[in-house]
Amino acid sequence: MTIAIIILVIIVVLLALSVRIVPQANAYVLERLGKYADAWTAGIHFKIPFIDRFAKKVPLMEQVVDFPPQPVITKDNVTMRIDTVVFYQVVDPKRYAYGVQQPLMAIENLTATTLRNIIGELELDETLTSREMINTKMRAALDQATTTWGIQINRVELKNITPPAAIQDAMEKQMKAERERREAILIAEGEKSATVLVAEGKKQSSILNAEAEKQSAILRAEAEKESLILRAEAAKEASIREAEGHAQAIRSVQSANADGIDFLNAKRPSEEVLRLKGLEAFAKAADGKATKIIIPSEIQNMAGLVTSVRELAMTEKEDALGDAGRGV
């Protein structure tokens, strides 16, 4: 019974030593009798007790290493200090376990030497303005070198670039002078823009005034033209009306004359009336400015004319008395 219990305990211990569970994002490098056997990834695995052993537990997550500042010299002999940050990840646990003894120290030294080589080809100004280019070159160089170690360099960043105090002082003065220069340029450009805007405003104002004067002159000319046309139309209308009045007067006179003639023809005037009318016409002709007067033969006998006039007057008087007696 005791032997059975001992055997059972030994079996349980052997099973406990044989079963291994690898966590996520990790890898276990397994050796069998001192020789590489396998690289276990996440999950449950079984090993042979006392024969298999774990040589190294390797994290597969991306890791970040912040290396201390390294002194470097630029192409123009300026010494500065640069600290870098490296993002790396183990992609081959076997190479990581057997490729290099101290991977972090190897990466740090490789980073320092690569950084010195790259900065040694650049001047100070280029170093300060070419971070992206330096990062790209360093990542490519480190990734190529660490491939045999089972490490992949994902990203390299220059964290700080610290030039000497004298260089910083000179750079601050240069930046101050540059800011003052930009300020002067901005002020000059502002004044120039203001002057241009004022000139443009005056130009637009002059154009608008000229346009207004032109429009006003056009309107005045059109008004004068309309006024002249209206006056001409009025004068024309007045002339037409006057001519029509004269024509109407002439027609009226002619009509009256015609009516008078018709009346005389209807009344059949006597010889004495005709002579009297002729005498009246002769009197009117004598009142004019003519220097020569031709006397008709019909009125040369003045005695006969006077007698006729007297008889006519007496006849008209008698007719008038007769009419008054009849109460006409």
Side-chain angles (χ1 to χ4, degrees), residues 39-324:
W40 288 354
T41 56
I44 186 170
H45 299 273
F46 298 93
K47 72 182 184 67
I48 302 174
F50 308 111
I51 296 177
D52 295 341
R53 76 179 188 90
F54 294 117
K56 200 174 189 65
K57 296 180 180 180
V58 181
L60 300 179
M61 295 181 294
E62 185 175 11
Q63 301 182 54
V64 182
V65 183
D66 187 0
F67 296 122
Q70 301 291 329
V72 293
I73 302 175
T74 62
K75 185 177 181 179
D76 48 355
N77 297 323
V78 177
T79 302
M80 60 177 61
R81 300 180 68 83
I82 301 177
D83 56 337
T84 56
V85 179
V86 177
F87 298 81
Y88 74 94
Q89 186 176 11
V90 178
V91 294
D92 191 340
K94 178 182 178 181
R95 290 185 178 183
Y96 182 77
Y98 301 104
V100 64
Q101 186 174 5
Q102 296 180 344
L104 292 182
M105 183 180 294
I107 292 174
E108 180 179 0
N109 292 328
L110 183 61
T111 300
T113 55
T114 305
L115 185 62
R116 289 190 180 98
N117 291 334
I118 295 173
I119 299 300
E121 297 176 354
L122 302 175
E123 295 183 354
L124 175 62
D125 294 338
E126 293 177 329
T127 303
L128 297 175
T129 58
S130 304
R131 284 176 178 257
E132 189 65 29
M133 182 269 293
I134 296 172
N135 294 339
T136 303
K137 284 187 175 182
M138 286 189 63
R139 193 201 69 78
L142 292 176
D143 190 50
Q144 183 178 2
T146 56
T147 300
T148 56
W149 304 341
I151 298 174
Q152 176 181 314
I153 305 298
N154 295 330
R155 191 176 181 86
V156 179
E157 294 289 343
L158 300 184
K159 186 176 180 181
N160 290 313
I161 300 177
T162 308
I167 299 297
Q168 291 185 15
D169 215 18
M171 290 172 61
E172 289 178 358
K173 291 179 180 179
Q174 182 181 1
M175 291 175 62
K176 182 179 179 181
E178 182 66 20
R179 285 194 296 269
E180 291 176 352
R181 184 182 70 84
R182 291 180 181 178
E183 180 183 3
I185 291 174
L186 290 175
I187 292 173
E189 289 180 350
E191 292 177 353
K192 175 184 176 182
S193 298
T195 304
V196 170
L197 290 175
V198 170
E200 287 290 336
K202 290 181 179 179
K203 176 183 176 182
Q204 292 294 331
S205 178
S206 300
I207 292 172
L208 291 176
N209 290 333
E211 290 290 337
E213 291 178 359
K214 175 184 176 182
Q215 191 67 23
S216 177
I218 291 172
L219 292 175
R220 284 197 300 269
E222 290 180 352
E224 291 178 359
K225 176 182 176 182
E226 292 292 334
S227 177
L228 292 175
I229 291 173
L230 292 175
R231 282 200 289 267
E233 290 289 338
K236 175 183 176 182
E237 187 68 24
S239 299
I240 292 172
R241 295 294 178 85
E242 184 179 359
E244 289 179 351
H246 285 303
Q248 187 66 32
I250 292 171
R251 283 195 297 269
S252 298
V253 172
Q254 295 297 329
S255 177
N257 291 334
D259 291 341
I261 292 170
D262 292 338
F263 179 75
L264 291 175
N265 290 331
K267 291 297 184 176
R268 295 181 179 179
S270 62
E271 189 68 25
E272 289 80 4
V273 174
L274 294 176
R275 290 179 180 175
L276 180 59
K277 292 297 182 181
L279 183 60
E280 290 177 357
F282 176 74
K284 290 180 179 181
D287 288 338
K289 298 180 179 181
T291 57
K292 294 181 179 181
I293 300 174
I294 300 173
I295 299 174
S297 60
E298 290 81 0
I299 60 173
Q300 289 182 0
N301 191 358
M302 296 302 294
L305 181 61
V306 173
T307 303
S308 299
V309 170
R310 186 180 297 137
E311 290 178 357
L312 180 60
M314 290 298 292
T315 303
E316 289 180 357
K317 183 176 179 182
E318 289 177 358
D319 293 336
L321 290 176
D323 292 338

